[in-house]
Amino acid sequence: EDIQLEQSPLMVRVLNRREYGNMSMDTNVATGHGDGDDYIVSSEGSAVYVHSLISGQLTNVLLGNERQCGSACVVTALCYQGNRVYTGTRNHLVVSWDLSKPDAPAFVGKGHEAAVTSISGDDKKVISGGADKLILIWNAVSGNLLYRVPGHSRGIHHIRVGPDWFVSASFGNIFVWDVVSGDGLGVVNQVDCKSRLSLDSGDATALHYNKLELVCGDSIGKVSTMWIESGEIVQSSQVHEGKITCLEVSSTWAITAGVDMTVRVSDLVRGDTLYVLRGHSRPILAISFKRYTVVSASKNGDIRTWKIQSSEEDA
């Protein structure tokens, strides 16, 4: 079903007009219909902007000073989770912000040897990947460097973090890692490579991990489902016209967005595209999906909310 956007105030909110380089929503809570403390975090240059997802109003601007972050602190990677914002920068830094204390960074981590190209985290750990092929694990509170993870032969494109695992992508190669934590808070004893997967074509640009399978969006617009144990690609379908920038999974649905300025909902079992959501005029950089509501945000600051019908409701 091809859905054009309804032009009504409830469907569209516009952030301050900028050309954002990165965007992130907390996918656990961000629906655009909450009671408030749902935010969208965006970056332009060295500045990070925090807007209300409900109203689109600017609530904070996060700026590291030159003494802490240097003069070339352009944000190259961004993650928003809970009350924390994690950024990676062109001048090799990992910077953490606590939104309850936005005047200065919670910590500035040094350890990368090139630009930080991907970052993901939760309330205990932050994991960053860089053009230097390094993956670094940091304590989310103290900023202490906990672990260096070798394994990639090229720069890191994408990282996604879970409680005791993370996945990382470097061009067509995807690694699944188990994280063995220690008894103390923020202690990592060991990181083991559980599986190494490869795409037939394209580069992995967005990932979603379950215990048995991994869902991947790639640079040529395909969505693929892979068995983690064997590496077999069990389903692959052409969904977008060009690079997929965002991916969420709900049951048997993949919700994706890309540089083709559309949000698409596809069936992971059959590979069929169920919905095409049109209305953005710039590439989409962030999505969230919950209770059959999709929130999408594009490079020029447009936020759009979509209600889609579930297959259960169809039945």
Side-chain angles (χ1 to χ4, degrees):
E1 185 174 352
D2 202 318
I3 300 177
Q4 301 287 337
L5 181 75
E6 295 177 19
Q7 297 295 331
S8 70
L10 293 178
M11 295 293 290
V12 186
R13 293 176 298 287
V14 180
L15 310 184
N16 295 354
R17 286 293 185 190
R18 294 183 175 91
E19 279 291 294
Y20 295 102
N22 302 275
M23 287 180 153
S24 181
M25 288 183 274
D26 186 337
T27 56
N28 292 321
V29 298
T31 66
H33 298 286
D35 296 326
D37 286 11
D38 288 358
Y39 299 111
I40 179 166
V41 180
S42 313
S43 70
E44 182 191 47
S46 59
V48 177
Y49 300 93
V50 183
H51 291 84
S52 166
L53 193 57
I54 310 304
S55 65
Q57 293 298 307
L58 181 66
T59 62
N60 275 303
V61 180
L62 310 177
L63 281 170
N65 62 47
E66 186 170 333
R67 180 183 62 81
Q68 292 172 302
C69 301
S71 58
C73 192
V74 174
V75 176
T76 50
L78 176 66
C79 173
Y80 164 51
Q81 184 71 37
N83 204 39
R84 293 269 178 171
V85 175
Y86 305 117
T87 63
T89 72
R90 184 181 296 169
N91 59 338
H92 318 170
L93 301 178
V94 170
V95 185
S96 171
W97 302 84
D98 183 338
L99 291 184
S100 66
K101 304 172 184 178
D103 293 337
F107 73 78
V108 177
K110 299 180 180 180
H112 282 284
E113 300 169 4
V116 178
T117 50
S118 185
I119 195 163
S120 183
D122 53 28
D123 59 349
K124 295 181 180 179
K125 61 185 178 298
V126 186
I127 302 182
S128 58
D132 54 7
K133 313 171 197 173
L134 287 175
I135 296 175
L136 304 181
I137 304 179
W138 311 79
N139 183 297
V141 178
S142 69
N144 291 336
L145 180 57
L146 303 176
Y147 212 93
R148 292 175 178 266
V149 184
H152 283 283
S153 60
R154 303 177 74 179
I156 315 301
H157 274 175
H158 186 76
I159 290 176
R160 190 148 186 169
V161 170
D164 56 1
W165 55 266
F166 69 94
V167 290
S168 58
S170 174
F171 293 85
N173 295 317
I174 304 163
F175 289 75
V176 180
W177 307 88
D178 285 331
V179 179
V180 181
S181 299
D183 295 332
L185 180 65
V187 175
V188 175
N189 285 342
Q190 190 172 337
V191 177
D192 297 319
C193 183
K194 180 178 180 180
S195 184
R196 177 174 176 172
L197 313 173
S198 297
L199 294 174
D200 292 336
S201 59
D203 301 329
T205 55
L207 301 171
H208 189 280
Y209 171 78
N210 289 317
K211 289 295 183 183
L212 297 178
E213 73 274 0
L214 183 137
V215 182
C216 172
D218 67 26
S219 58
I220 57 176
K222 287 185 177 181
V223 174
S224 302
T225 303
M226 314 168 76
W227 290 124
I228 290 173
E229 190 68 32
S230 65
E232 178 188 359
I233 299 176
V234 294
Q235 172 64 47
S236 184
S237 54
Q238 189 72 44
V239 177
H240 286 268
E241 299 170 7
K243 176 183 173 181
I244 293 173
T245 55
C246 325
L247 167 69
E248 295 297 325
V249 171
S250 177
S251 185
T252 60
W253 284 3
I255 302 92
T256 53
V259 297
D260 62 2
M261 301 176 287
T262 66
V263 179
R264 302 188 184 223
V265 181
S266 56
D267 188 305
L268 287 171
V269 178
R270 302 190 305 267
D272 300 338
T273 298
L274 305 176
Y275 298 96
V276 180
L277 312 179
R278 304 181 189 274
H280 285 285
S281 59
R282 300 286 281 130
I284 299 166
L285 301 183
I287 58 172
S288 175
F289 178 74
K290 191 175 181 181
R291 294 192 293 270
Y292 304 108
T293 298
V294 180
V295 180
S296 56
S298 58
K299 189 175 179 67
N300 63 345
D302 281 358
I303 305 173
R304 303 188 181 271
T305 304
W306 318 80
K307 258 308 212 193
I308 56 178
Q309 191 175 27
S310 73
S311 56
E312 288 84 359
E313 289 172 343
D314 290 339

